[in-house]
Amino acid sequence: MAKQAVGLLETRGLACLVVGVDAMLKSANVELAGPMKQVGSALCNAVITGDVAAVKAALDAGAAAASASGEVVSAHVIARPDEAIEGVLPKAPAAERARK
């Protein structure tokens, strides 16, 4: 896997997830791994990737911002994930991957 860390933010409700993702992307050099997902029962999640320090900093900022506007269910960093994890991570749309 090219990225050194994966960060997961799960909230109850889409609005506070959008606030959290906005804060994560503005606070550190991380990328959103595909679209945000609605899990069910009002649970929504987003996955970011980047180096370990950037993902940790972004996730802390995102969780703080999201908790100010709603409920954060989980915020977790996976440092140096196994290559098999790449198969379960959300993928960016093909048009977006072509631009990179």
Side-chain angles (χ1 to χ4, degrees), residues 9-13 15-21 23 59-75:
L9 179 63
E10 185 171 54
T11 64
R12 190 166 309 279
C16 61
L17 181 65
V18 171
V19 169
V21 169
L59 201 54
D60 289 345
S67 67
S69 63
E71 179 185 350
V72 174
V73 176
S74 177

Side-chain angles (χ1 to χ4, degrees), residues 2-87:
K3 301 299 180 183
Q4 296 178 6
V6 174
L8 303 128
L9 179 63
E10 185 171 54
T11 64
R12 190 166 309 279
L14 181 61
C16 61
L17 181 65
V18 171
V19 169
V21 169
D22 182 57
M24 288 192 295
L25 296 176
K26 289 178 179 176
S27 67
N29 186 22
V30 295
E31 293 181 8
L32 187 61
M36 296 178 272
K37 298 282 186 176
Q38 182 176 5
V39 179
S41 299
L43 294 177
C44 303
N45 69 13
V47 179
I48 58 170
T49 58
D51 66 55
V52 177
V55 169
K56 175 78 171 114
L59 201 54
D60 289 345
S67 67
S69 63
E71 179 185 350
V72 174
V73 176
S74 177
H76 190 71
V77 175
I78 301 172
R80 296 185 355 228
D82 188 85
E83 291 179 7
I85 295 292
E86 194 167 322

